[in-house]
């Protein structure tokens, strides 16, 4: 009996050493995507304008790094907060920790090199070598044309500095270890010709991270069909909202025309549109309609053209669950 107990203790000790070694490796040796590249990005007008368009209306950099007013429909960006960060993606909304959007105005990243910003955006590794949580969609941005990433960086350099120091992000266990395995080297693709509507639309769909929000996932793992919707966004006391199916199935956008798809976005670009107030427990959405509405019609049309080519999946999504009443 004593011999058996000693053997079990030895086995447990070995397992503990293996686990401790693995955790130490993950914590100290990862992420490993290489050093930030040496680059100096020229701030010429065409590049800045391209970056302004991408950061505000396609990649949603400015929207995510701002404060949104969810007392109004679709949570429009609060004027004057663009790029200042501070939004908390935390346990209230189902995240494994507290992840704070960084200040990306010159006050927050003015001392970062262009290469450090490029590495963070495309691989998920911060200036100090630490990993960024994947709510920052670097896996998608790493597939973009490097010239587009440089354009975004050039634009960020022109933002009005917002003198605001935000809290640091803090991941819960075991994500504080797992997070180091998330970054990976970028796999850039060149910007397709606008004449190739499907390839161009696929590129924009990737840059606009449509698949991320319109594919069901739980605890960081994909559990649904691509683009078939069902991703759940907790609104805390406001209820639960799910992303719709945007595949060409009849339960998705199979019956939509190209014109209807474009108009669905552009209705929010109308100068007469004023986002209505949303009472607690009533239909709300996290879809940033007001910022996506600034996309060019030809770009929205290209996204639609691409979505018409993907696999159709049947998935009738219940888009909103109001909060449960407590007795």
């Amino acid at each position: 009996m004593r011999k058996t107990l000693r053997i079990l203790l030895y086995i447990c000790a070995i397992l503990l050493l293996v686990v401790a070694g693995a955790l130490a490796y993950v914590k100290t040796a990862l992420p490993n995507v290489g050093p930030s590249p040496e680059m100096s990005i020229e701030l010429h007008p065409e590049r800045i304008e391209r970056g302004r368009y991408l950061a505000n209306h396609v990649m949603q950099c400015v929207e995510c790094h701002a404060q949104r007013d969810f007392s109004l429909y679709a949570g429009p960006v609060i004027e004057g907060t663009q790029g200042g960060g501070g939004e908390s993606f935390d346990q209230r909304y189902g995240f494994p920790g507290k992840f704070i959007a960084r200040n990306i105005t010159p006050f927050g990243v003015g001392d970062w090199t262009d290469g450090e910003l490029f590495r963070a955006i495309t691989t998920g590794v911060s200036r100090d070598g630490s990993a960024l949580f994947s709510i920052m969609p670097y896996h998608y941005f790493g597939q973009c044309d490097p010239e587009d990433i440089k354009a975004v960086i050039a634009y960020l350099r022109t933002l009005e500095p917002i003198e605001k120091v935000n809290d640091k992000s803090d991941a819960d266990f075991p994500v504080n270890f797992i997070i180091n395995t998330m970054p990976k080297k970028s796999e850039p693709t060149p910007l397709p010709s606008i004449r190739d509507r499907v390839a161009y639309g696929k590129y924009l769909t990737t840059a606009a991270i449509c698949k991320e929000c319109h594919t069901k996932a739980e605890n960081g793992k994909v559990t649904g069909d691509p683009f078939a919707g069902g991703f759940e966004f907790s609104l805390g006391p406001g209820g639960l909202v799910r992303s719709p199916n945007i595949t060409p199935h009849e339960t998705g956008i199979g019956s939509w025309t190209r014109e209807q798809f474009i108009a669905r976005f552009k209705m929010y670009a109308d100068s007469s549109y004023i986002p209505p107030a949303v009472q607690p427990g009533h239909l709300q959405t996290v879809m940033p309609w007001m910022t996506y509405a600034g996309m060019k019609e030809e770009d929205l049309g290209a996204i639609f053209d691409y979505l018409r080519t993907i696999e159709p999946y049947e998935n009738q999504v219940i888009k909103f669950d109001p909060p449960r009443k407590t007795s």
Side-chain angles (χ1 to χ4, degrees), residues 12-309:
C12 289
I14 291 170
L15 288 175
L16 285 173
L17 286 173
V18 170
V19 171
L23 291 176
Y25 172 78
V26 169
K27 198 67 175 177
T28 60
L30 298 179
N32 183 19
V33 299
S36 57
E38 295 288 336
M39 62 174 61
S40 181
I41 300 172
E42 294 184 19
L43 306 184
H44 54 73
E46 295 82 5
R47 173 174 278 161
I48 292 170
E49 180 57 25
R50 173 66 176 172
R52 181 202 66 77
Y53 175 67
L54 291 170
N56 284 280
H57 303 299
V58 182
M59 297 166 68
Q60 300 298 315
C61 312
V62 172
E63 178 269 328
C64 280
H65 291 267
Q67 298 287 308
R68 295 173 67 182
D69 183 0
F70 278 102
S71 70
L72 303 177
Y73 184 70
V77 170
I78 298 172
E79 192 60 38
T81 70
Q82 292 90 335
E87 192 76 30
S88 180
F89 302 90
D90 54 35
Q91 295 90 341
R92 293 172 300 168
Y93 307 110
F95 291 99
K98 182 175 69 173
F99 304 100
I100 311 296
R102 187 182 186 90
N103 184 337
I104 57 172
T105 72
F107 179 83
V109 295
D111 57 348
W112 288 42
T113 68
D114 291 338
E116 287 168 343
L117 280 171
F118 188 93
R119 184 177 68 167
I121 294 170
T122 59
T123 71
V125 176
S126 191
R127 184 189 193 192
D128 61 2
S130 61
L132 302 176
F133 186 60
S134 55
I135 191 172
M136 164 66 177
Y138 47 82
H139 295 115
Y140 293 89
F141 297 160
Q143 300 176 55
C144 293
D145 191 316
E147 288 303 312
D148 274 347
I149 304 301
K150 291 178 182 179
V152 169
I153 293 170
Y155 170 70
L156 295 181
R157 300 298 195 194
T158 71
L159 289 176
E160 189 71 26
I162 296 178
E163 297 186 10
K164 180 184 179 186
V165 178
N166 299 315
D167 292 339
K168 292 184 178 181
S169 296
D170 184 24
D172 293 337
F173 178 83
V175 175
N176 58 331
F177 285 92
I178 297 172
I179 193 173
N180 284 10
T181 69
M182 294 178 179
K184 66 175 185 177
K185 292 183 179 180
S186 62
E187 299 177 351
T189 57
L191 177 66
S193 168
I194 195 172
R195 291 187 292 275
D196 188 342
R197 302 300 298 166
V198 173
Y200 183 65
K202 181 180 180 180
Y203 179 89
L204 290 172
T205 301
T206 299
I209 56 174
C210 307
K211 185 178 180 181
E212 178 79 0
C213 288
H214 289 273
T215 303
K216 186 176 181 179
E218 296 176 0
N219 299 319
K221 294 183 179 180
V222 173
T223 57
D225 296 315
F227 297 101
F231 192 104
E232 295 184 345
F233 299 88
S234 172
L235 301 175
L240 188 74
V241 65
R242 299 179 184 87
S243 60
N245 183 345
I246 56 172
T247 74
H249 190 270
E250 62 180 11
T251 58
I253 59 171
S255 64
W256 290 40
T257 66
R258 195 170 189 267
E259 291 70 26
Q260 287 174 325
F261 183 82
I262 294 172
R264 182 68 176 89
F265 287 83
K266 284 301 180 181
M267 65 178 285
Y268 299 99
D270 190 321
S271 60
S272 65
Y273 177 77
I274 299 175
V278 176
Q279 299 301 319
H282 288 71
L283 178 64
Q284 179 58 289
T285 181
V286 298
M287 174 73 167
W289 285 111
M290 272 64 80
T291 47
Y292 277 131
M295 289 183 70
K296 301 171 185 176
E297 289 194 10
E298 61 187 4
D299 287 356
L300 289 168
I303 289 176
F304 179 80
D305 293 340
Y306 167 67
L307 292 177
R308 298 293 289 181
T309 70

